[in-house]
Amino acid sequence: MSDSPDARSLISASSQLNLMEVDAIDDKEFDIPQVDTPPTLESILSELEDEEEPFVLEDTCVLNADSMDAHSCDTSSLASSDSGDPAHLRRKKRTVDLKTVHGSILRHSLLKGISAQIVSAVDKVDAGLPTAITVSGVIAVGTSHGLALIFDTNQALRLCLSTKTTGAEFGAVSALSINHDCSRLLCGFAKGQITMWDLANGKLLRTITDAHPPGTAILHVKFTDDPTLAVCNDSGGSVFELTFRRIMGMRSCDSRCLFSGSKGEVCCIEPLRTPPDFRDHPITHYSLLAMASLTKILVIGLKPSLKVWMTFPYSKSDPSSVPQLAWQFVPVQKIVNPVLAFCKGDTVHFLLVKKEETGTIHVIKQRQLHLSCDIISLSWINSRTLVLVDSHEKLQVVDRPSQEILETLDLEQVQLVYNSRHFKSLATGGNVSQALALIGEKACYQSVSSYAGQIVYLGTKSAHIMTLRNWRERIDCLLKQENFVEALSLAWSFHEGTAKAVVGLFGDLVKRKGVVGDKMVEILFQFTEHALKKCPEQGKIQVMEQHFHDIVPVLVDYCLLLQRADLLFNQLYARLAENAVAKGVFLESLESYIVADRLGHLTTPIMKDLLAHYHSSGMMDSLERCIVHLDVTSLDIQRVVQVCWDNQLYDAMIYVFNSGMNDYITPMEKLFAMIGPPLREGRTLTDEEVVMGNKLLVYISCCLAGRAYPLGDIPEDLVVQVKNQVFEFLIHLHSADSSSEEEEEVFPFIHTLLHFDTREFLNVLAMTFEDFKNDKQALEYQQRIVDILLQVMVDNPDFTPSQVGGLFTFLARQLAKPDNTLFVNRKLFDQVLEFLCCPDDDSRHSERQQVLLELLQLGGVVQFNEERLLALAEKAKFYQICEFLYEKKNLYDKIIDCYLWDPLRKGEIFSYIHNLLSMPGYSTEDKKTVKDKVLQRIQELVIFDPNKSADLVVFHFTEEVHKIISELQDDELCFKFLSFLLEPREGTHPGTVFLHKEDLHELLLDLLCQFASQRLLSFLQTSQHYRLEQAIQITMKYHHSEATAYLLEKKGEVQGAFAVLLETLKNKLSLLTAECDRGDEGGYERQDEEGQHQESALMSIKNSLNDIIALCHRSSQNLYLQQSEALWFSLLETMMASQKLVTGLNAKHNSEVLKELTMEVLNCMSSIISLPAIIQRILQDPVYGKGKLAEIQGLILGMLDTFNYEQTLLETTTTLLNHDLHWSLAHLRAAVTRGLHPRQDYCHICLQPYRRRQNSDEEIIVFSCGHLYHFQCLQQNEWCFSLDLQQQWSCYKCTSSQGVRGGPSIEAKRDRTTSLAQTRVTSVHHHTEGEAHRKKVFVEATLDLQQEQSWDQLRCSYRGPSGLSILSEISHCNETMGLLVHTQPGIENFQLKLAPPPLLEE
């Protein structure tokens, strides 16, 4: 192979390795405090995650791998936001989102020379497939036929060690290791041998066959820093120390077991190998070794004596996860110490190892790294960056400090070599544990080797190398893909020092920023040319604008970040201005930066183009926003003022006058000139004029407060001057442009502001007066302004009461201040009072009252005579003012009059009275006065709201109820009041005392009879606080028969109640017959009306009849039979007699209805009175006793139907019950006598066959669950207990699996542990013709307590309602139903549902 001209050796690369760039470390940011006493191992392992300090990791100078492959595989990265950058979080929001871009971090290169030699060796010399690789100053590849191929850094094959004969004897190469000076190579083999080779001449120096137990493969063999000391790990999980000696020219090897596989199998070992720069590090004297077993990590020291420094158990993980170990020297606080990274599963742990002054090794747990993948390979590529491979062969580059995944690559094309055969030790018979074999499925330890910032991966037919790209390469990769925005973002992260995995940036911070800044300028030029080149030449203008909108803001943003405004406004703008669309987008994009104060100065050409473009595009609002943020020195003041005035950009105009010419008066003059004339003419202002007026008020406020408009502050040396100028301007007697003094009102500016918005102008003055302390000039202006306001507004009909009141409210506030210096004539307040309280002026009544109230509440009352004020307020009907004054004098009773007189607040009187009488703070005399006033005005309160009046009485006037009722003159009003007073209330309060006052309830009952008779019955049923005798007298007085009957029945006088209701029914029947007689007279219209009356009368009769029937039903259970017959027959005779009297046009219809009602009476009677007695009474009646059988035919047929129905129902029920009982017993017998089938033919306790001896005669027990036991085994294990003097058994296996023991105490908890039929079987063996015959003898079959309960539940669930209960119900119906069943309520819908019983699942 010929060397490539740009080839670099790996040895030269290792010489460039520099981990000591610690000068640029920020000690304050990464400060880790020193501790006097090192913590114990237990304290280290139990440290909390959030107490950890981050690492300080320096970038490693990693050499370029161009010599390996000129055609590197460019890869794209996974861009992600840098959430761990605090500066990024604090950074101001920019127009362009500066998200973190990492670009392509790793260069993936194919080692073509080595790959070709591997394939050639397989084909030509039968070297076998590659099995292991290691990299140091040379590259060594082991094969499956026992050969070791040695390549130099130019990928030239230097040596081929061993032979196929040796390979046939030793097996495949399973592990390789090169010492630190590249002079020796250790080869481990699949059959357990180890060989040492001289790499200088290819000579075999040692063959070691007895270093570890035979029959196990070598999984790892590793040199330590000491060339005479190595360690190996075999497939038995043991670790051995190999010490090489040479005595008298004889080479030997001593082996010492460091860890035995019997105590836990070790599957990975990693000695600490120090780079050349750290060979004198104090930690090297201990020759540290990390070992990973299946359950824990161990760190031991081989020198000066064997010692375990740390043990760290794994967290829970997948048993198939592969443990990984990797050492790396990391600078922390300018001290470099080794860090051990280890993982098993998806979590990477970090341990910082340092040597204390006492000579002990201190291990500090660091922050963990959590990933969402199963890691099968772990390597450091520099002190900040790890490279991981997961079980899906996805390579991930992770930044250790931020724990961010920087890039992800797919290694599927590599076809990674796995070491599964060696972990399963197939060459020696596969004598390994299942756990180790499971891990071996994903083990690829010998396929990955890292050295000097490079990682080599071994595939089945190739070798690949991964190296970090330098920062320029990463940017250029994005530029090749025309990802200019990502390239700029990545370059800016290099510039700010926030990028990850940075390689190739040296020097101090300023130098690094300068180098990266030059590169960014180059990218900006390229991006500009690319934007112009890729712009669509034809098409919609919107497409072209969108194209430049995606590009131009990026150019502007990065130029401003680099503080290169000259580059932006000169070279870039000149180039973009060649395209009209790009020029417009550029000028429009400047707005956001100007408004954000990131761009404060524009060059003259840019400002000129900006004005022209915004003006031509109609973007006046944007132009105004830009002008007020720009440095005034960059503006053409004359042109800008003209543009602002022409386009009404008042904010910009004010800013230019203020900042450019220190003129604060001219803007006010121009704004007054706009809003003054329409206000003087009395015209309504347009929206635009209102906006200008508001701007004027805000501008005056800012000037008087020392603030610049619209933003910023007035220069300190001008604050007093500007304030005085504004005051002088406002108090001018006339405006400067007035033609004649007679035509213009005095103080025009104050007039204008007062007419525009009085309240806001006074607020501006109030805020200004707050700042006046010891300024004599300002105090003079303050008094002058107040005098002018009084002169202008008092006695001026142009101002409303609200405006005048606002002025005096403002004055009252100022006068109430403790440091007040204003003087106001008190007569003016009296004058305002007369004006506001004028009784002849009904206009704006509420407005005038509200203004005066606000004035009084702010302290204006001290300016008035209270007596005169009260008299005026009463005269003007200002009841709120009266309340305010009465409150001060504690005249609370008069406040009640104010509420009653005020129609707007009359409804609030109840809340006021309740609060005053309930709240503390009021004297007893005050409350008594209020109570007297309420009692005095109670009639008005009840008329206004009876409900709230009742609530008030309930809480505060319980003793005065009778007095209140006596004062209510109107009975209907008294009825409403009592209805609310006595209605039930929740909770306990004083109102409950009314429930026991019978006179009140009887009074309400009397009033109900008069005004709400429909509610009478419900009141009697719900209320219990009345006397029955008095209530009966009241209801009889007003002839309410239903209520009287209810009360008589409640008293126990059933006959009296029946008599009252029967009399009512007779009266209604008489009315019906009378209406029938009148219906014959008159025409058709009269007959229709009478027909409607008769229908109504029939309905009333039916309701009365139902009431009587219900009374008879309720009473019959408590009366003797003769008494019940007297009631029922009286009712029956009344109904029969009424049918004789029915005559007239509708006599037939009425007679039929009455007959139906009579039949209903008969139906109801049949359940109480015997049928013969009923029939005898019917036959004696003249209506039915004329000898016609047709009249009673329906009655006889009904009796027969009822008999047949009841007989059929009884027979069917009996049959169902018998069938149900037979079916249940049959299934129970089948379940009890069912044969049992054992699952196995051995006892589940002793695990012996149930027939242990041929001729033995021993009993066995089989349970329904299928488990079989010897009788003696169960008895010895105490799984037998006594229950109800019987011997009971429980299944040993089922009960043990449920975590319980046998015995009565747990009997209720067993499921299938006792059989449904516990069967004891005696096995009798007969040796006849070589066959054993068994006979099962059933000795007992019983149900325990739990099974009996289960059986009852099963029986109930399958039979539905109890047959006995159904039968009892039918029997009861048979006794109470009588003959005429079809009319009994509910029976007409009764259906007999017959169905076969459900089947029981076996």
Side-chain angles (χ1 to χ4, degrees):
M1 292 179 62
S2 61
D3 295 344
S4 59
D6 58 344
R8 297 179 184 176
S9 69
L10 285 173
I11 298 177
S12 63
S14 64
S15 66
Q16 295 183 14
L17 182 65
N18 181 11
L19 292 173
M20 289 299 293
E21 294 180 16
V22 296
D23 294 337
I25 295 177
D26 187 352
D27 294 335
K28 294 181 179 180
E29 181 180 359
F30 298 105
D31 182 52
I32 300 177
Q34 295 288 341
V35 291
D36 298 331
T37 305
T40 62
L41 176 61
E42 290 76 10
S43 65
I44 294 171
L45 298 182
S46 61
E47 276 184 342
L48 296 176
E49 292 291 327
D50 53 2
E51 293 177 356
E52 299 166 349
E53 293 290 338
F55 278 114
V56 178
L57 301 179
E58 280 299 293
D59 294 325
T60 305
C61 305
V62 184
L63 74 143
N64 210 325
D66 291 340
S67 61
M68 304 305 171
D69 182 16
H71 304 283
S72 301
C73 304
D74 290 335
T75 57
S76 58
S77 70
L78 295 177
S80 61
S81 60
D82 188 2
S83 59
D85 178 16
H88 173 78
L89 297 176
R90 294 192 300 266
R91 194 174 298 142
K92 224 177 187 180
K93 185 178 178 182
R94 297 188 171 93
T95 307
V96 178
D97 184 15
L98 298 179
K99 65 179 181 180
T100 303
V101 175
H102 300 299
S104 176
I105 294 173
L106 283 183
R107 184 196 301 112
H108 177 191
S109 304
L110 173 66
L111 297 176
K112 289 187 175 181
I114 297 177
S115 302
Q117 290 286 358
I118 291 174
V119 175
S120 177
V122 172
D123 295 338
K124 295 181 179 179
V125 299
D126 193 21
L129 295 174
T131 57
I133 191 170
T134 185
V135 181
S136 184
V138 296
I139 301 175
V141 179
T143 70
S144 60
H145 289 176
L147 301 182
L149 308 178
I150 311 301
F151 300 90
D152 62 16
T153 54
N154 294 319
Q155 305 184 51
L157 181 62
R158 283 180 47 194
L159 296 170
C160 180
L161 305 179
S162 189
T163 63
K164 289 194 292 181
T165 303
T166 305
E169 180 183 357
F170 294 170
V173 174
S174 58
L176 294 170
S177 180
I178 302 173
N179 64 356
H180 64 83
D181 60 358
C182 297
S183 61
R184 297 288 186 268
L185 172 69
L186 280 176
C187 295
F189 291 90
K191 294 185 179 181
Q193 296 84 355
I194 300 174
T195 59
M196 178 185 286
W197 301 85
D198 187 340
L199 291 180
N201 52 25
K203 182 180 178 181
L204 177 64
L205 301 180
R206 289 181 177 85
T207 300
I208 307 167
T209 59
D210 57 353
H212 64 101
T216 56
I218 296 296
L219 300 182
H220 301 278
V221 61
K222 303 275 187 179
F223 272 111
T224 65
D225 284 337
D226 184 352
T228 65
L229 191 64
V231 290
C232 70
N233 174 208
D234 63 14
S235 59
S238 300
V239 180
F240 296 87
E241 177 189 68
L242 306 177
T243 305
F244 305 115
R245 304 183 187 279
R246 186 173 183 180
I247 303 174
M248 302 295 290
M250 295 295 293
R251 290 185 171 90
S252 63
C253 177
D254 298 333
S255 174
R256 178 174 63 161
C257 182
L258 301 178
F259 190 90
S260 173
S262 62
K263 298 179 181 179
E265 295 163 306
V266 171
C267 52
C268 179
I269 59 174
E270 193 66 42
L272 176 60
R273 300 279 296 270
T274 55
D277 294 337
F278 304 113
R279 291 290 162 79
D280 57 349
H281 195 285
I283 204 78
T284 58
H285 303 305
Y286 294 87
S287 191
L288 296 180
L289 172 67
M291 300 185 295
S293 72
L294 299 178
T295 58
K296 59 188 174 183
I297 296 290
L298 295 93
V299 177
I300 66 174
L302 303 179
K303 295 180 179 180
S305 61
L306 185 63
K307 185 173 183 179
V308 178
W309 290 111
M310 187 219 59
T311 302
F312 190 93
Y314 299 126
S315 56
K316 287 187 177 181
S317 62
D318 187 353
S320 65
S321 298
V322 185
Q324 297 290 329
L325 298 169
W327 288 98
Q328 177 69 26
F329 278 83
V330 176
V332 179
Q333 277 191 319
K334 299 184 180 181
I335 300 176
V336 178
N337 282 306
V339 171
L340 175 64
F342 66 91
C343 68
K344 186 177 188 294
D346 59 356
T347 303
V348 183
H349 302 266
F350 298 93
L351 299 177
L352 176 65
V353 182
K354 58 193 298 187
K355 177 181 178 294
E356 300 293 339
E357 295 180 358
T358 58
T360 61
I361 298 296
H362 191 191
V363 181
I364 303 173
K365 183 185 175 186
Q366 301 290 304
R367 186 172 52 167
Q368 299 175 359
L369 171 63
H370 297 279
L371 300 169
S372 58
C373 58
D374 186 16
I375 301 169
I376 63 172
S377 175
L378 170 66
S379 306
W380 293 87
I381 199 165
N382 65 18
S383 58
R384 298 176 65 96
T385 312
L386 294 104
V387 178
L388 313 173
V389 180
D390 63 19
S391 56
H392 299 290
E393 295 191 2
K394 294 289 190 297
L395 182 145
Q396 299 183 24
V397 183
V398 181
D399 181 64
R400 164 68 182 88
S402 66
Q403 301 195 350
E404 183 179 357
I405 298 176
L406 307 180
E407 185 177 16
T408 300
L409 301 177
D410 192 350
L411 291 185
E412 186 177 357
Q413 60 177 344
V414 174
Q415 297 181 352
L416 206 60
V417 172
Y418 290 89
N419 312 131
S420 306
R421 293 178 59 85
H422 311 318
F423 273 78
K424 297 178 181 179
S425 196
L426 298 180
T428 60
N431 52 346
V432 298
S433 68
Q434 293 183 358
L436 197 64
L438 183 62
I439 285 179
E441 294 292 340
K442 296 185 284 188
C444 59
Y445 294 109
Q446 305 303 323
S447 306
V448 183
S449 180
S450 62
Y451 178 74
Q454 299 171 332
I455 304 176
V456 177
Y457 293 91
L458 180 64
T460 55
K461 296 181 180 180
S462 58
H464 301 256
I465 189 168
M466 301 288 179
T467 56
L468 288 174
R469 299 180 187 271
N470 64 36
W471 69 277
R472 287 184 182 273
E473 276 188 272
R474 289 166 64 179
I475 294 175
D476 290 339
C477 283
L478 294 172
L479 292 177
K480 287 179 184 178
Q481 301 168 11
E482 296 185 349
N483 293 329
F484 291 95
V485 177
E486 289 81 358
L488 285 167
S489 178
L490 178 60
W492 180 249
S493 67
F494 291 139
H495 186 276
E496 294 297 292
T498 60
K500 309 295 189 300
V502 183
V503 177
L505 269 180
F506 305 104
D508 58 13
L509 183 62
V510 177
K511 183 178 179 181
R512 291 202 296 267
K513 286 192 173 185
V515 173
V516 178
D518 293 341
K519 181 66 176 177
M520 292 185 70
V521 170
E522 179 185 334
I523 298 172
L524 289 172
F525 279 119
Q526 293 181 26
F527 197 15
T528 304
E529 295 299 329
H530 176 268
L532 294 171
K533 181 180 178 182
K534 294 294 184 179
C535 177
E537 297 180 358
Q538 296 179 350
K540 293 183 178 180
I541 191 68
Q542 292 85 352
V543 178
M544 299 175 68
E545 288 179 347
Q546 184 60 45
H547 171 75
F548 286 110
H549 271 300
D550 295 337
I551 295 171
V552 172
V554 179
L555 300 175
V556 177
D557 196 69
Y558 282 106
C559 284
L560 295 179
L561 287 174
L562 292 170
Q563 298 179 0
R564 292 293 304 274
D566 57 330
L567 172 69
L568 177 66
F569 294 143
N570 296 328
Q571 293 98 317
L572 295 183
Y573 178 66
R575 188 71 182 89
L576 290 172
E578 297 174 5
N579 185 301
V581 177
K583 178 181 178 181
V585 172
F586 178 86
L587 295 172
E588 291 173 11
S589 65
L590 295 180
E591 178 190 352
S592 59
Y593 301 96
I594 295 172
V595 172
D597 292 327
R598 294 184 58 199
L599 187 60
H601 183 83
L602 299 180
T603 61
T604 303
I606 297 289
M607 190 64 212
K608 180 180 178 182
D609 292 347
L610 186 77
L611 281 173
H613 176 76
Y614 279 46
H615 188 269
S616 61
S617 302
M619 302 169 60
M620 291 296 105
D621 292 338
S622 298
L623 178 61
E624 185 175 35
R625 284 194 293 271
C626 290
I627 290 174
V628 299
H629 284 82
L630 284 172
D631 183 3
V632 73
T633 59
S634 65
L635 304 177
D636 183 352
I637 292 179
Q638 184 176 357
R639 170 127 189 241
V640 169
V641 170
Q642 186 61 41
V643 170
C644 292
W645 188 250
D646 292 343
N647 296 278
Q648 301 173 351
L649 308 181
Y650 301 109
D651 286 355
M653 181 190 67
I654 293 172
Y655 172 76
V656 172
F657 272 103
N658 292 170
S659 301
M661 296 178 279
N662 287 336
D663 185 354
Y664 291 84
I665 302 303
T666 302
M668 283 196 292
E669 292 177 343
K670 291 183 175 294
L671 291 174
F672 272 117
M674 295 294 295
I675 67 171
L679 286 173
R680 286 194 295 271
E681 296 169 7
R683 289 191 288 107
T684 303
L685 297 179
T686 63
D687 293 341
E688 182 182 342
E689 291 168 342
V690 170
V691 170
M692 283 192 293
N694 289 326
K695 285 183 184 294
L696 178 59
L697 282 173
V698 176
Y699 176 61
I700 293 173
S701 175
C702 289
C703 291
L704 294 177
R707 298 192 305 273
Y709 181 86
L711 48 90
D713 293 312
I714 298 174
E716 292 184 5
D717 57 335
L718 296 178
V719 170
V720 177
Q721 177 185 343
V722 170
K723 190 182 298 185
N724 293 338
Q725 288 178 358
V726 172
F727 274 127
E728 287 291 342
F729 174 78
L730 291 177
I731 63 178
H732 277 173
L733 192 62
H734 294 284
S735 59
D737 56 350
S738 60
S739 57
S740 63
E741 297 183 359
E742 290 76 19
E743 296 178 1
E744 186 182 49
E745 56 195 2
V746 294
F747 308 113
F749 304 123
I750 290 180
H751 258 286
T752 301
L753 292 173
L754 288 173
H755 279 295
F756 175 73
D757 195 329
T758 305
R759 186 175 295 275
E760 288 304 321
F761 176 53
L762 294 175
N763 286 339
V764 169
L765 294 178
M767 289 188 294
T768 305
F769 291 170
E770 291 288 339
D771 298 332
F772 293 170
K773 299 297 180 185
N774 299 319
D775 189 349
K776 183 178 179 181
Q777 180 70 30
L779 293 175
E780 292 177 1
Y781 282 123
Q782 179 182 1
Q783 184 66 51
R784 179 66 175 144
I785 289 284
V786 169
D787 293 340
I788 293 174
L789 290 173
L790 292 171
Q791 179 181 345
V792 169
M793 296 189 71
V794 178
D795 292 334
N796 190 338
D798 293 340
F799 293 99
T800 65
S802 178
Q803 290 174 313
V804 176
L807 170 63
F808 281 88
T809 302
F810 161 74
L811 294 177
R813 283 199 188 106
Q814 300 303 317
L815 294 173
K817 292 180 181 179
D819 55 350
N820 171 56
T821 59
L822 285 176
F823 171 76
V824 180
N825 192 342
R826 183 164 182 157
K827 292 182 179 180
L828 291 174
F829 279 91
D830 294 336
Q831 189 175 351
V832 170
L833 180 62
E834 293 281 354
F835 168 70
L836 293 175
C837 295
C838 179
D840 299 329
D841 185 8
D842 293 334
S843 63
R844 300 183 177 180
H845 181 275
S846 59
E847 178 185 344
R848 289 186 288 116
Q849 180 178 214
Q850 193 62 36
V851 168
L852 183 55
L853 182 63
E854 183 179 354
L855 179 60
L856 296 177
Q857 289 172 343
L858 291 171
V861 70
V862 299
Q863 310 295 335
F864 302 115
N865 184 321
E866 291 190 18
E867 297 299 330
R868 182 167 178 271
L869 174 61
L870 181 60
L872 289 173
E874 290 177 348
K875 191 176 181 181
K877 298 182 181 179
F878 286 174
Y879 298 117
Q880 294 186 46
I881 306 299
C882 296
E883 178 188 352
F884 178 80
L885 297 173
Y886 289 146
E887 184 83 27
K888 291 188 65 178
K889 297 180 179 182
N890 296 335
L891 299 176
Y892 302 110
D893 55 333
K894 293 193 175 182
I895 295 178
I896 294 176
D897 292 331
C898 293
Y899 275 103
L900 286 172
W901 293 334
D902 191 346
L904 299 177
R905 300 192 306 146
K906 193 172 183 178
E908 301 174 14
I909 187 172
F910 300 100
S911 299
Y912 175 78
I913 296 171
H914 175 71
N915 292 336
L916 190 143
L917 295 176
S918 303
M919 295 171 61
Y922 298 96
S923 64
T924 307
E925 293 76 10
D926 293 338
K927 292 184 178 181
K928 185 178 183 303
T929 306
V930 170
K931 280 191 172 185
D932 293 342
K933 174 61 71 171
V934 171
L935 293 174
Q936 180 183 344
R937 308 294 294 270
I938 191 66
Q939 178 93 6
E940 297 178 52
L941 292 174
V942 174
I943 293 173
F944 178 69
D945 194 331
N947 189 4
K948 291 183 179 180
S949 300
D951 290 338
L952 199 61
V953 171
V954 164
F955 284 98
H956 302 290
F957 297 91
T958 55
E959 302 297 331
E960 296 85 358
V961 173
H962 292 89
K963 180 180 179 181
I964 292 173
I965 293 174
S966 64
E967 292 185 4
L968 298 178
Q969 306 297 329
D970 187 4
D971 286 345
E972 186 173 0
L973 183 63
C974 184
F975 162 65
K976 293 178 181 179
F977 174 72
L978 275 177
S979 298
F980 291 117
L981 184 69
L982 297 179
E983 69 180 3
R985 287 178 170 83
E986 295 182 359
T988 57
H989 49 74
T992 55
V993 300
F994 299 136
L995 298 178
H996 305 292
K997 293 188 177 182
E998 297 172 343
D999 55 340
L1000 294 180
H1001 288 269
E1002 291 164 6
L1003 176 59
L1004 178 59
L1005 178 61
D1006 190 289
L1007 295 172
L1008 277 169
C1009 292
Q1010 299 180 49
F1011 301 106
S1013 58
Q1014 68 277 6
R1015 292 164 47 192
L1016 183 60
L1017 199 57
S1018 62
F1019 171 77
L1020 293 173
Q1021 292 169 350
T1022 56
S1023 177
Q1024 305 296 327
H1025 304 286
Y1026 53 82
R1027 292 167 292 186
L1028 280 175
E1029 291 296 338
Q1030 284 75 4
I1032 292 172
Q1033 293 177 8
I1034 293 171
T1035 53
M1036 293 181 69
K1037 172 183 173 183
Y1038 293 101
H1039 306 291
H1040 291 294
S1041 58
E1042 293 182 5
T1044 304
Y1046 172 78
L1047 292 171
L1048 289 171
E1049 183 184 2
K1050 187 175 180 180
K1051 186 179 177 183
E1053 298 181 7
V1054 177
Q1055 289 83 359
F1058 178 79
V1060 171
L1061 291 177
L1062 187 62
E1063 184 66 27
T1064 303
L1065 178 63
K1066 289 179 179 179
N1067 293 335
K1068 292 182 179 180
L1069 289 171
S1070 301
L1071 289 175
L1072 176 65
T1073 56
E1075 288 179 359
C1076 291
D1077 295 338
R1078 289 196 302 270
D1080 295 337
E1081 305 172 0
Y1084 290 107
E1085 294 182 0
R1086 178 64 183 271
Q1087 291 177 5
D1088 290 342
E1089 293 179 2
E1090 292 298 331
Q1092 294 176 3
H1093 286 304
Q1094 290 178 17
E1095 289 295 332
S1096 176
L1098 288 173
M1099 184 59 64
S1100 177
I1101 291 171
K1102 186 174 182 180
N1103 292 336
S1104 296
L1105 184 62
N1106 289 335
D1107 292 340
I1108 299 176
I1109 291 174
L1111 173 65
C1112 293
H1113 264 298
R1114 290 194 302 269
S1115 305
S1116 295
Q1117 298 178 359
N1118 302 321
L1119 297 176
Y1120 293 111
L1121 182 61
Q1122 294 81 0
Q1123 295 173 325
S1124 296
E1125 288 181 353
L1127 297 180
W1128 285 106
F1129 286 137
S1130 299
L1131 177 61
L1132 182 61
E1133 290 172 358
T1134 301
M1135 293 303 299
M1136 288 180 174
S1138 64
Q1139 299 178 36
K1140 308 172 189 177
L1141 305 176
V1142 176
T1143 58
L1145 190 63
N1146 295 324
K1148 184 177 181 181
H1149 170 69
N1150 294 339
S1151 178
E1152 291 294 332
V1153 173
L1154 292 177
K1155 281 186 178 182
E1156 290 179 4
L1157 296 177
T1158 305
M1159 290 292 291
E1160 184 175 347
V1161 173
L1162 289 172
N1163 279 332
C1164 296
M1165 289 174 63
S1166 63
S1167 62
I1168 305 297
I1169 302 173
S1170 62
L1171 291 177
I1174 297 175
I1175 294 175
Q1176 183 180 1
R1177 181 60 62 93
I1178 291 174
L1179 294 177
Q1180 291 176 356
D1181 188 89
V1183 177
Y1184 296 97
K1186 294 181 179 180
K1188 294 181 180 179
L1189 184 61
E1191 297 290 339
I1192 57 174
Q1193 181 179 2
L1195 183 63
I1196 303 300
L1197 291 177
M1199 293 170 59
L1200 294 175
D1201 288 342
T1202 302
F1203 172 76
N1204 290 332
Y1205 176 80
E1206 291 181 350
Q1207 184 181 24
T1208 303
L1209 185 63
L1210 182 61
E1211 291 175 354
T1212 305
T1213 304
T1214 305
T1215 303
L1216 286 175
L1217 289 174
N1218 292 336
H1219 185 273
D1220 188 14
L1221 181 61
H1222 175 269
W1223 172 83
S1224 303
L1225 293 175
H1227 277 77
L1228 177 62
R1229 181 179 180 280
V1232 171
T1233 60
R1234 184 177 60 189
L1236 302 178
H1237 177 65
R1239 297 183 182 180
Q1240 290 86 13
D1241 58 354
Y1242 57 85
C1243 173
H1244 283 274
I1245 295 179
C1246 66
L1247 302 180
Q1248 298 293 325
Y1250 71 90
R1251 187 182 61 183
R1252 288 185 281 201
R1253 291 183 297 276
Q1254 290 291 334
N1255 296 323
S1256 64
D1257 187 7
E1258 61 179 338
E1259 296 179 345
I1260 63 173
I1261 295 178
V1262 183
F1263 291 91
S1264 62
C1265 55
H1267 296 135
L1268 178 147
Y1269 304 93
H1270 293 116
F1271 172 78
Q1272 295 178 352
C1273 295
L1274 271 183
Q1275 197 171 34
Q1276 291 171 1
N1277 285 272
E1278 299 179 355
W1279 289 91
C1280 172
F1281 56 91
S1282 296
L1283 185 66
D1284 296 335
L1285 303 179
Q1286 294 183 0
Q1287 196 174 27
Q1288 301 292 324
W1289 298 91
S1290 62
C1291 177
Y1292 171 80
K1293 188 174 182 63
C1294 296
T1295 309
S1296 298
S1297 65
Q1298 297 171 7
V1300 297
R1301 291 285 298 172
S1305 62
I1306 52 84
E1307 189 64 28
K1309 298 181 181 178
R1310 291 203 304 272
D1311 183 14
R1312 295 182 60 194
T1313 59
T1314 55
S1315 63
L1316 189 63
Q1318 286 189 337
T1319 307
R1320 181 182 299 174
V1321 183
T1322 302
S1323 178
V1324 182
H1325 304 285
H1326 302 280
H1327 187 67
T1328 304
E1329 298 177 358
E1331 296 182 359
H1333 300 281
R1334 302 185 305 276
K1335 180 174 68 174
K1336 297 181 180 178
V1337 180
F1338 295 91
V1339 295
E1340 62 177 85
T1342 60
L1343 289 177
D1344 60 23
L1345 179 62
Q1346 180 190 12
Q1347 291 165 345
E1348 289 178 355
Q1349 294 174 353
S1350 301
W1351 167 242
D1352 291 338
Q1353 293 177 0
L1354 178 69
R1355 186 170 53 191
C1356 291
S1357 65
Y1358 276 108
R1359 74 184 179 195
S1362 170
L1364 184 60
S1365 65
I1366 295 177
L1367 190 60
S1368 300
E1369 183 178 351
I1370 293 173
S1371 175
H1372 178 68
C1373 292
N1374 185 30
E1375 294 174 0
T1376 59
M1377 192 163 44
L1379 292 174
L1380 305 176
V1381 180
H1382 62 281
T1383 58
Q1384 190 74 0
I1387 298 300
E1388 63 272 12
N1389 297 324
F1390 179 81
Q1391 295 181 0
L1392 190 62
K1393 298 181 180 179
L1394 305 180
L1399 295 178
L1400 178 66
E1401 294 185 4
E1402 293 293 340

